[in-house]
Amino acid sequence: MRIAVHPQVQRYGIGCHFVEQISLLGAKQGIDFIGSSFGVNPELLSFWLKAGFSTIRIGFTKDKASGEHSALMIKGIHAKTSLQQQKLKQEFYRSFDYLLIEEYQSLSTPLVKLLLSQQEKASIVELSDLDFANVLAFSTGERLYSSCVYSLYLWLKHDLLARSSHRNSDDEQNALILIARLIQKHSSANVCQQYALTGKKMLNQRIKDYVSLR
């Protein structure tokens, strides 16, 4: 029911070893899937992703015990169940962006970033030539944010898949700022407060800086 590793001996592969042994036992017993449910945060999610699990559900309310939304993740034991695992993962991401506006609005931006880095590229709308032109025009100050925000949104979705890790702390923070504003749809005032920005002008400049570096 639970896997726990003492903090003094974490990051030595003990937890991963437990999961591998459970997977082997499940295969011998003819089980199709193994699953895990827990109060989700970036660190725990990273562990289960590295173990080959896929997110198929996140609860809409915070768990009283953990103070976090509960995640349900699964891993197919056999080759024949890997396709079903993929379908369930795709179904989760099909509505994920929409649910961020209300049901998932309290998810932390670092957690949203990690979740989005696992989305399949094929499921994201491709950028048109006009979208690329809009993004370039915004980065050079030729177009206003509101007039090309959807193009920026699509561009960011693809950028997060191409760059799951960022070069430095400033680059990482700017990525979080874009996610909070473009994908989570947080107000400019909330984003400025969260990331200690002086105002909307500075916020738009951070967005331009991030886009211009790509």
Side-chain angles (χ1 to χ4, degrees), residues 145-158:
Y145 171 85
S146 297
S147 64
C148 52
V149 63
Y150 183 67
S151 297
L152 289 168
Y153 160 80
L154 290 179
W155 177 88
L156 179 60
K157 294 275 286 186
H158 285 277

Side-chain angles (χ1 to χ4, degrees), residues 177 188-206:
I177 288 172
S188 56
N190 286 342
V191 176
C192 288
Q193 182 180 20
Q194 184 177 359
Y195 293 97
L197 305 178
T198 57
K200 194 172 182 179
K201 184 177 180 180
M202 187 177 182
L203 169 60
N204 285 342
Q205 188 60 52
R206 286 292 191 92

Side-chain angles (χ1 to χ4, degrees), residues 3 15-16 18-20 22-23 33-38 44-56 71-77 85-86 89 93 115 118:
I3 293 177
C16 292
F18 287 160
V19 175
E20 290 172 2
I22 291 170
S23 299
F33 295 94
I34 57 174
S36 177
S37 181
F38 53 92
L44 285 175
L45 181 63
S46 294
F47 170 82
W48 290 104
L49 288 172
K50 290 177 182 177
F53 285 67
S54 297
T55 308
I56 63 168
L72 176 61
M73 303 185 72
I74 63 167
K75 178 182 179 181
I77 298 298
Q85 178 181 349
Q86 188 70 11
K89 175 184 175 181
Y93 280 105
L115 285 165
Q118 302 300 309

Side-chain angles (χ1 to χ4, degrees), residues 137-145 152 170-171 173-175 177-178 181 188 191-192 197-213:
F138 174 79
S139 68
T140 57
E142 298 174 28
R143 295 208 65 182
L144 297 176
Y145 171 85
L152 289 168
D170 289 341
D171 202 32
Q173 186 181 57
N174 285 339
I177 288 172
L178 266 73
R181 186 73 179 108
S188 56
V191 176
C192 288
L197 305 178
T198 57
K200 194 172 182 179
K201 184 177 180 180
M202 187 177 182
L203 169 60
N204 285 342
Q205 188 60 52
R206 286 292 191 92
I207 298 174
K208 287 180 183 178
D209 291 343
Y210 184 89
V211 175
S212 298
L213 290 172

Side-chain angles (χ1 to χ4, degrees), residues 10-26:
Q10 288 177 357
R11 302 186 184 279
Y12 286 95
I14 298 172
C16 292
H17 176 73
F18 287 160
V19 175
E20 290 172 2
Q21 294 305 308
I22 291 170
S23 299
L24 291 173
L25 179 62

